[in-house]
Amino acid sequence: MIITTENAPALPAPLSQGVRKGPVLQVSGQLPLDPETGEVVGATVAEQTAQALRNVAAVLEAGGATWADVVMLRVHLTDPAHMAEMNEAYESIVEAPFPARTTVSVRLPPGLLVEIDALAVLDIPQ
């Protein structure tokens, strides 16, 4: 099932905001874009991390999931030196117990400092 929501930005690319198959929900990489304007939110890694995570949360919700269902997050940073600042913003939104996470350094379009995707596994009703 394709997951879409107006509470996360629609990207001009051939991808879905999320895809759910059974109890598995994959959220596509979310950028720090305002869902209403499509503009980048914030100039710092902390601001952009918070917005990207809000976008992830919106797709999770649209797919019937919460942060408690997330088993893996992948964070893509443009500069490894931003790790501490990203971690601080991340920890203020994603609460313990924390999901597994991978963080890699990548090149993103100008002005973008972070992209985050998520994998959630929902409980199947008995």
Side-chain angles (χ1 to χ4, degrees), residues 75-102:
V75 178
H76 308 270
L77 288 175
T78 59
D79 186 342
H82 293 154
M83 182 72 83
E85 185 180 354
M86 182 277 298
N87 275 331
E88 189 173 315
Y90 177 96
E91 192 171 9
S92 73
I93 295 171
V94 181
E95 298 177 0
F98 299 107
R101 188 180 91 192
T102 298

Side-chain angles (χ1 to χ4, degrees), residues 100-111:
R101 188 180 91 192
T102 298
T103 304
V104 296
S105 178
V106 299
R107 183 178 298 210
L108 293 171

Side-chain angles (χ1 to χ4, degrees), residues 18-121:
V19 176
R20 181 169 172 182
K21 186 166 185 174
V24 177
L25 171 60
Q26 176 67 55
V27 177
S28 290
Q30 295 298 306
L31 297 169
L33 303 177
D34 181 298
E36 292 182 18
T37 66
E39 298 295 319
V40 175
V41 174
T44 68
V45 168
E47 293 168 321
Q48 290 195 16
T49 296
Q51 182 62 46
L53 287 170
R54 284 192 291 273
N55 294 341
V56 168
V59 179
L60 288 170
E61 183 178 348
T66 69
W67 285 116
D69 299 308
V70 175
V71 296
M72 178 68 174
L73 285 163
R74 284 171 290 271
V75 178
H76 308 270
L77 288 175
T78 59
D79 186 342
H82 293 154
M83 182 72 83
E85 185 180 354
M86 182 277 298
N87 275 331
E88 189 173 315
Y90 177 96
E91 192 171 9
S92 73
I93 295 171
V94 181
E95 298 177 0
F98 299 107
R101 188 180 91 192
T102 298
T103 304
V104 296
S105 178
V106 299
R107 183 178 298 210
L108 293 171
L112 296 173
L113 304 173
V114 64
E115 179 178 12
I116 302 172
D117 71 274
L119 177 65
V121 179

